[in-house]
mmCIF file of all heavy atoms in Angstrom:
data_model
loop_
_atom_site.group_PDB
_atom_site.id
_atom_site.type_symbol
_atom_site.label_atom_id
_atom_site.label_comp_id
_atom_site.label_asym_id
_atom_site.label_seq_id
_atom_site.Cartn_x
_atom_site.Cartn_y
_atom_site.Cartn_z
ATOM 1 N N LEU A 325 -11.991 -17.451 17.002
ATOM 2 C CA LEU A 325 -11.932 -16.905 15.698
ATOM 3 C C LEU A 325 -11.281 -15.515 15.734
ATOM 4 O O LEU A 325 -10.457 -15.200 14.832
ATOM 5 C CB LEU A 325 -13.368 -16.752 15.142
ATOM 6 C CG LEU A 325 -13.511 -16.124 13.723
ATOM 7 C CD1 LEU A 325 -12.739 -16.885 12.654
ATOM 8 C CD2 LEU A 325 -15.039 -15.830 13.362
ATOM 9 N N VAL A 326 -11.532 -14.738 16.726
ATOM 10 C CA VAL A 326 -10.886 -13.413 16.821
ATOM 11 C C VAL A 326 -9.400 -13.554 17.026
ATOM 12 O O VAL A 326 -8.662 -12.771 16.536
ATOM 13 C CB VAL A 326 -11.569 -12.628 18.047
ATOM 14 C CG1 VAL A 326 -10.733 -11.416 18.327
ATOM 15 C CG2 VAL A 326 -12.952 -12.230 17.729
ATOM 16 N N ALA A 327 -8.962 -14.715 17.686
ATOM 17 C CA ALA A 327 -7.587 -14.962 17.830
ATOM 18 C C ALA A 327 -6.978 -15.228 16.436
ATOM 19 O O ALA A 327 -5.754 -15.000 16.230
ATOM 20 C CB ALA A 327 -7.283 -16.160 18.771
ATOM 21 N N VAL A 328 -7.698 -15.782 15.510
ATOM 22 C CA VAL A 328 -7.183 -15.928 14.122
ATOM 23 C C VAL A 328 -7.073 -14.585 13.514
ATOM 24 O O VAL A 328 -5.887 -14.317 12.851
ATOM 25 C CB VAL A 328 -8.108 -16.827 13.328
ATOM 26 C CG1 VAL A 328 -7.444 -17.197 11.913
ATOM 27 C CG2 VAL A 328 -8.464 -18.098 13.994
ATOM 28 N N TYR A 329 -8.009 -13.747 13.623
ATOM 29 C CA TYR A 329 -7.900 -12.383 13.060
ATOM 30 C C TYR A 329 -6.732 -11.685 13.682
ATOM 31 O O TYR A 329 -6.005 -10.813 12.989
ATOM 32 C CB TYR A 329 -9.118 -11.589 13.414
ATOM 33 C CG TYR A 329 -10.310 -11.710 12.487
ATOM 34 C CD1 TYR A 329 -11.313 -12.617 12.762
ATOM 35 C CD2 TYR A 329 -10.373 -11.038 11.263
ATOM 36 C CE1 TYR A 329 -12.435 -12.756 11.814
ATOM 37 C CE2 TYR A 329 -11.422 -11.180 10.392
ATOM 38 C CZ TYR A 329 -12.467 -12.021 10.674
ATOM 39 O OH TYR A 329 -13.519 -12.109 9.831
ATOM 40 N N ASP A 330 -6.392 -11.938 14.971
ATOM 41 C CA ASP A 330 -5.330 -11.196 15.631
ATOM 42 C C ASP A 330 -4.015 -11.337 14.844
ATOM 43 O O ASP A 330 -3.182 -10.385 14.933
ATOM 44 C CB ASP A 330 -5.229 -11.802 17.084
ATOM 45 C CG ASP A 330 -4.246 -11.005 17.884
ATOM 46 O OD1 ASP A 330 -4.572 -9.843 18.149
ATOM 47 O OD2 ASP A 330 -3.279 -11.601 18.391
ATOM 48 N N VAL A 331 -3.742 -12.408 14.250
ATOM 49 C CA VAL A 331 -2.413 -12.636 13.624
ATOM 50 C C VAL A 331 -2.260 -11.667 12.463
ATOM 51 O O VAL A 331 -1.152 -11.318 12.044
ATOM 52 C CB VAL A 331 -2.317 -14.112 13.132
ATOM 53 C CG1 VAL A 331 -1.009 -14.350 12.451
ATOM 54 C CG2 VAL A 331 -2.501 -15.046 14.312
ATOM 55 N N LEU A 332 -3.403 -11.245 11.869
ATOM 56 C CA LEU A 332 -3.232 -10.283 10.716
ATOM 57 C C LEU A 332 -2.452 -9.033 11.087
ATOM 58 O O LEU A 332 -1.711 -8.443 10.222
ATOM 59 C CB LEU A 332 -4.620 -9.820 10.221
ATOM 60 C CG LEU A 332 -5.552 -10.846 9.600
ATOM 61 C CD1 LEU A 332 -6.891 -10.252 9.380
ATOM 62 C CD2 LEU A 332 -4.934 -11.261 8.262
ATOM 63 N N GLN A 333 -2.536 -8.635 12.331
ATOM 64 C CA GLN A 333 -1.883 -7.309 12.664
ATOM 65 C C GLN A 333 -0.564 -7.521 13.361
ATOM 66 O O GLN A 333 0.078 -6.501 13.698
ATOM 67 C CB GLN A 333 -2.867 -6.538 13.654
ATOM 68 C CG GLN A 333 -3.123 -7.278 14.958
ATOM 69 C CD GLN A 333 -3.727 -6.328 15.971
ATOM 70 O OE1 GLN A 333 -3.510 -6.563 17.143
ATOM 71 N NE2 GLN A 333 -4.509 -5.384 15.582
ATOM 72 N N TRP A 334 -0.072 -8.704 13.517
ATOM 73 C CA TRP A 334 1.205 -8.860 14.168
ATOM 74 C C TRP A 334 2.292 -8.074 13.410
ATOM 75 O O TRP A 334 2.355 -8.071 12.191
ATOM 76 C CB TRP A 334 1.593 -10.377 14.236
ATOM 77 C CG TRP A 334 0.774 -11.177 15.261
ATOM 78 C CD1 TRP A 334 -0.211 -10.745 16.017
ATOM 79 C CD2 TRP A 334 0.981 -12.534 15.570
ATOM 80 N NE1 TRP A 334 -0.749 -11.671 16.793
ATOM 81 C CE2 TRP A 334 -0.009 -12.872 16.512
ATOM 82 C CE3 TRP A 334 1.867 -13.520 15.108
ATOM 83 C CZ2 TRP A 334 -0.093 -14.100 17.126
ATOM 84 C CZ3 TRP A 334 1.740 -14.762 15.694
ATOM 85 C CH2 TRP A 334 0.787 -15.137 16.668
ATOM 86 N N GLY A 335 3.260 -7.700 14.258
ATOM 87 C CA GLY A 335 4.434 -6.990 13.628
ATOM 88 C C GLY A 335 5.668 -7.208 14.430
ATOM 89 O O GLY A 335 6.704 -6.659 14.204
ATOM 90 N N GLY A 336 5.496 -8.108 15.452
ATOM 91 C CA GLY A 336 6.732 -8.359 16.276
ATOM 92 C C GLY A 336 6.991 -9.864 16.521
ATOM 93 O O GLY A 336 7.272 -10.303 17.629
ATOM 94 N N THR A 337 6.802 -10.679 15.468
ATOM 95 C CA THR A 337 6.967 -12.120 15.556
ATOM 96 C C THR A 337 8.455 -12.451 15.691
ATOM 97 O O THR A 337 9.028 -12.957 14.708
ATOM 98 C CB THR A 337 6.345 -12.800 14.365
ATOM 99 O OG1 THR A 337 5.075 -12.215 14.177
ATOM 100 C CG2 THR A 337 6.107 -14.281 14.658
ATOM 101 N N GLY A 338 9.045 -12.282 16.804
ATOM 102 C CA GLY A 338 10.512 -12.626 16.982
ATOM 103 C C GLY A 338 11.360 -11.470 16.477
ATOM 104 O O GLY A 338 12.616 -11.525 16.717
ATOM 105 N N GLY A 339 10.815 -10.396 15.940
ATOM 106 C CA GLY A 339 11.641 -9.314 15.405
ATOM 107 C C GLY A 339 10.590 -8.264 14.796
ATOM 108 O O GLY A 339 9.435 -8.350 15.096
ATOM 109 N N TRP A 340 11.104 -7.472 13.943
ATOM 110 C CA TRP A 340 10.205 -6.489 13.348
ATOM 111 C C TRP A 340 9.759 -7.091 12.062
ATOM 112 O O TRP A 340 10.427 -7.028 11.060
ATOM 113 C CB TRP A 340 10.912 -5.131 13.122
ATOM 114 C CG TRP A 340 11.433 -4.531 14.459
ATOM 115 C CD1 TRP A 340 12.743 -4.544 14.901
ATOM 116 C CD2 TRP A 340 10.619 -3.787 15.323
ATOM 117 N NE1 TRP A 340 12.781 -3.888 16.080
ATOM 118 C CE2 TRP A 340 11.545 -3.420 16.414
ATOM 119 C CE3 TRP A 340 9.303 -3.456 15.441
ATOM 120 C CZ2 TRP A 340 11.134 -2.763 17.537
ATOM 121 C CZ3 TRP A 340 8.918 -2.738 16.559
ATOM 122 C CH2 TRP A 340 9.828 -2.330 17.561
ATOM 123 N N SER A 341 8.496 -7.586 12.033
ATOM 124 C CA SER A 341 8.022 -8.376 10.885
ATOM 125 C C SER A 341 6.879 -7.689 10.138
ATOM 126 O O SER A 341 6.013 -8.319 9.522
ATOM 127 C CB SER A 341 7.569 -9.789 11.301
ATOM 128 O OG SER A 341 6.539 -9.612 12.308
ATOM 129 N N MET A 342 6.868 -6.326 10.216
ATOM 130 C CA MET A 342 5.765 -5.598 9.512
ATOM 131 C C MET A 342 5.856 -5.703 7.989
ATOM 132 O O MET A 342 6.931 -5.196 7.414
ATOM 133 C CB MET A 342 5.762 -4.141 9.941
ATOM 134 C CG MET A 342 5.728 -3.942 11.465
ATOM 135 S SD MET A 342 7.364 -4.033 12.135
ATOM 136 C CE MET A 342 8.039 -2.460 11.570
ATOM 137 N N THR A 343 4.909 -6.258 7.320
ATOM 138 C CA THR A 343 5.001 -6.513 5.982
ATOM 139 C C THR A 343 5.089 -5.313 5.056
ATOM 140 O O THR A 343 5.751 -5.254 4.017
ATOM 141 C CB THR A 343 4.027 -7.551 5.467
ATOM 142 O OG1 THR A 343 2.729 -6.921 5.800
ATOM 143 C CG2 THR A 343 4.145 -8.830 6.126
ATOM 144 N N THR A 344 4.398 -4.266 5.384
ATOM 145 C CA THR A 344 4.411 -3.092 4.572
ATOM 146 C C THR A 344 5.766 -2.512 4.395
ATOM 147 O O THR A 344 6.296 -2.259 3.375
ATOM 148 C CB THR A 344 3.450 -1.935 5.155
ATOM 149 O OG1 THR A 344 2.156 -2.435 5.320
ATOM 150 C CG2 THR A 344 3.405 -0.758 4.186
ATOM 151 N N GLY A 345 6.461 -2.401 5.575
ATOM 152 C CA GLY A 345 7.869 -1.926 5.541
ATOM 153 C C GLY A 345 8.766 -2.824 4.832
ATOM 154 O O GLY A 345 9.680 -2.449 4.059
ATOM 155 N N LEU A 346 8.671 -4.092 5.263
ATOM 156 C CA LEU A 346 9.607 -5.118 4.564
ATOM 157 C C LEU A 346 9.450 -5.111 3.119
ATOM 158 O O LEU A 346 10.398 -5.218 2.300
ATOM 159 C CB LEU A 346 9.357 -6.492 5.206
ATOM 160 C CG LEU A 346 9.992 -6.756 6.597
ATOM 161 C CD1 LEU A 346 9.383 -7.966 7.209
ATOM 162 C CD2 LEU A 346 11.478 -6.816 6.514
ATOM 163 N N TYR A 347 8.200 -5.141 2.619
ATOM 164 C CA TYR A 347 7.891 -5.197 1.150
ATOM 165 C C TYR A 347 8.351 -3.989 0.520
ATOM 166 O O TYR A 347 8.818 -4.009 -0.652
ATOM 167 C CB TYR A 347 6.421 -5.516 0.876
ATOM 168 C CG TYR A 347 5.911 -6.812 1.427
ATOM 169 C CD1 TYR A 347 4.590 -7.109 1.515
ATOM 170 C CD2 TYR A 347 6.741 -7.852 1.876
ATOM 171 C CE1 TYR A 347 4.063 -8.345 1.956
ATOM 172 C CE2 TYR A 347 6.311 -9.036 2.410
ATOM 173 C CZ TYR A 347 4.985 -9.286 2.428
ATOM 174 O OH TYR A 347 4.537 -10.489 2.950
ATOM 175 N N ASN A 348 8.263 -2.810 1.156
ATOM 176 C CA ASN A 348 8.847 -1.570 0.589
ATOM 177 C C ASN A 348 10.281 -1.619 0.402
ATOM 178 O O ASN A 348 10.844 -1.281 -0.639
ATOM 179 C CB ASN A 348 8.494 -0.419 1.499
ATOM 180 C CG ASN A 348 7.021 0.137 1.278
ATOM 181 O OD1 ASN A 348 6.402 -0.077 0.288
ATOM 182 N ND2 ASN A 348 6.511 0.795 2.317
ATOM 183 N N ALA A 349 11.018 -2.159 1.457
ATOM 184 C CA ALA A 349 12.422 -2.235 1.436
ATOM 185 C C ALA A 349 12.937 -3.194 0.303
ATOM 186 O O ALA A 349 13.992 -3.033 -0.252
ATOM 187 C CB ALA A 349 12.959 -2.701 2.789
ATOM 188 N N ALA A 350 12.101 -4.221 0.036
ATOM 189 C CA ALA A 350 12.525 -5.115 -0.995
ATOM 190 C C ALA A 350 12.302 -4.582 -2.483
ATOM 191 O O ALA A 350 12.848 -5.166 -3.405
ATOM 192 C CB ALA A 350 11.704 -6.395 -0.875
ATOM 193 N N SER A 351 11.579 -3.452 -2.559
ATOM 194 C CA SER A 351 11.264 -2.930 -3.845
ATOM 195 C C SER A 351 12.167 -1.813 -4.193
ATOM 196 O O SER A 351 13.112 -1.439 -3.455
ATOM 197 C CB SER A 351 9.817 -2.401 -3.828
ATOM 198 O OG SER A 351 9.735 -1.195 -3.118
ATOM 199 N N ASP A 352 11.914 -1.129 -5.340
ATOM 200 C CA ASP A 352 12.670 0.035 -5.746
ATOM 201 C C ASP A 352 12.032 1.345 -5.290
ATOM 202 O O ASP A 352 12.485 2.399 -5.679
ATOM 203 C CB ASP A 352 12.868 0.074 -7.267
ATOM 204 C CG ASP A 352 11.588 -0.011 -8.073
ATOM 205 O OD1 ASP A 352 10.548 -0.499 -7.459
ATOM 206 O OD2 ASP A 352 11.542 0.449 -9.180
ATOM 207 N N ASP A 353 11.001 1.300 -4.487
ATOM 208 C CA ASP A 353 10.305 2.429 -3.928
ATOM 209 C C ASP A 353 11.094 2.975 -2.658
ATOM 210 O O ASP A 353 11.080 4.172 -2.485
ATOM 211 C CB ASP A 353 8.921 2.093 -3.458
ATOM 212 C CG ASP A 353 7.918 2.082 -4.548
ATOM 213 O OD1 ASP A 353 8.315 2.346 -5.733
ATOM 214 O OD2 ASP A 353 6.778 1.767 -4.347
ATOM 215 N N CYS A 354 11.707 2.077 -1.957
ATOM 216 C CA CYS A 354 12.366 2.501 -0.637
ATOM 217 C C CYS A 354 13.621 1.740 -0.421
ATOM 218 O O CYS A 354 13.834 0.629 -1.017
ATOM 219 C CB CYS A 354 11.464 2.249 0.568
ATOM 220 S SG CYS A 354 9.881 3.156 0.510
ATOM 221 N N PHE A 355 14.463 2.318 0.375
ATOM 222 C CA PHE A 355 15.627 1.524 1.019
ATOM 223 C C PHE A 355 15.218 1.023 2.325
ATOM 224 O O PHE A 355 14.111 1.287 2.818
ATOM 225 C CB PHE A 355 16.831 2.511 1.144
ATOM 226 C CG PHE A 355 17.441 3.002 -0.156
ATOM 227 C CD1 PHE A 355 17.328 4.371 -0.414
ATOM 228 C CD2 PHE A 355 17.997 2.170 -1.082
ATOM 229 C CE1 PHE A 355 17.852 4.876 -1.619
ATOM 230 C CE2 PHE A 355 18.585 2.665 -2.198
ATOM 231 C CZ PHE A 355 18.452 3.987 -2.523
ATOM 232 N N ALA A 356 16.123 0.238 2.913
ATOM 233 C CA ALA A 356 15.824 -0.288 4.270
ATOM 234 C C ALA A 356 15.836 0.853 5.308
ATOM 235 O O ALA A 356 15.015 0.999 6.115
ATOM 236 C CB ALA A 356 16.805 -1.406 4.607
ATOM 237 N N GLY A 357 16.997 1.633 5.280
ATOM 238 C CA GLY A 357 17.122 2.714 6.218
ATOM 239 C C GLY A 357 17.365 2.303 7.629
ATOM 240 O O GLY A 357 18.028 1.253 7.873
ATOM 241 N N GLY A 358 16.974 3.117 8.529
ATOM 242 C CA GLY A 358 17.314 2.942 9.980
ATOM 243 C C GLY A 358 18.382 3.875 10.404
ATOM 244 O O GLY A 358 18.806 4.742 9.636
ATOM 245 N N SER A 359 18.994 3.626 11.585
ATOM 246 C CA SER A 359 20.076 4.467 12.078
ATOM 247 C C SER A 359 21.379 4.255 11.369
ATOM 248 O O SER A 359 22.209 5.049 11.098
ATOM 249 C CB SER A 359 20.218 4.298 13.530
ATOM 250 O OG SER A 359 20.654 2.969 13.884
ATOM 251 N N ASN A 360 21.661 2.912 10.974
ATOM 252 C CA ASN A 360 22.937 2.525 10.318
ATOM 253 C C ASN A 360 22.692 1.151 9.789
ATOM 254 O O ASN A 360 21.596 0.550 9.909
ATOM 255 C CB ASN A 360 24.085 2.519 11.367
ATOM 256 C CG ASN A 360 23.857 1.650 12.552
ATOM 257 O OD1 ASN A 360 23.626 0.439 12.416
ATOM 258 N ND2 ASN A 360 23.923 2.279 13.678
ATOM 259 N N SER A 361 23.711 0.701 9.081
ATOM 260 C CA SER A 361 23.579 -0.551 8.254
ATOM 261 C C SER A 361 23.361 -1.820 9.278
ATOM 262 O O SER A 361 22.917 -2.843 8.738
ATOM 263 C CB SER A 361 24.750 -0.853 7.431
ATOM 264 O OG SER A 361 25.907 -0.965 8.260
ATOM 265 N N SER A 362 23.620 -1.723 10.484
ATOM 266 C CA SER A 362 23.427 -2.817 11.451
ATOM 267 C C SER A 362 22.176 -2.635 12.290
ATOM 268 O O SER A 362 21.943 -3.427 13.208
ATOM 269 C CB SER A 362 24.660 -2.994 12.341
ATOM 270 O OG SER A 362 24.871 -1.822 13.120
#
Side-chain angles (χ1 to χ4, degrees):
L325 177 63
V326 172
V328 188
Y329 276 99
D330 187 60
V331 180
L332 290 174
Q333 63 165 209
W334 285 5
T337 315
W340 300 102
S341 57
M342 306 86 70
T343 54
T344 304
L346 282 168
Y347 297 167
N348 280 337
S351 77
D352 56 336
D353 280 357
C354 299
F355 295 114
S359 61
N360 55 60
S361 61
S362 61

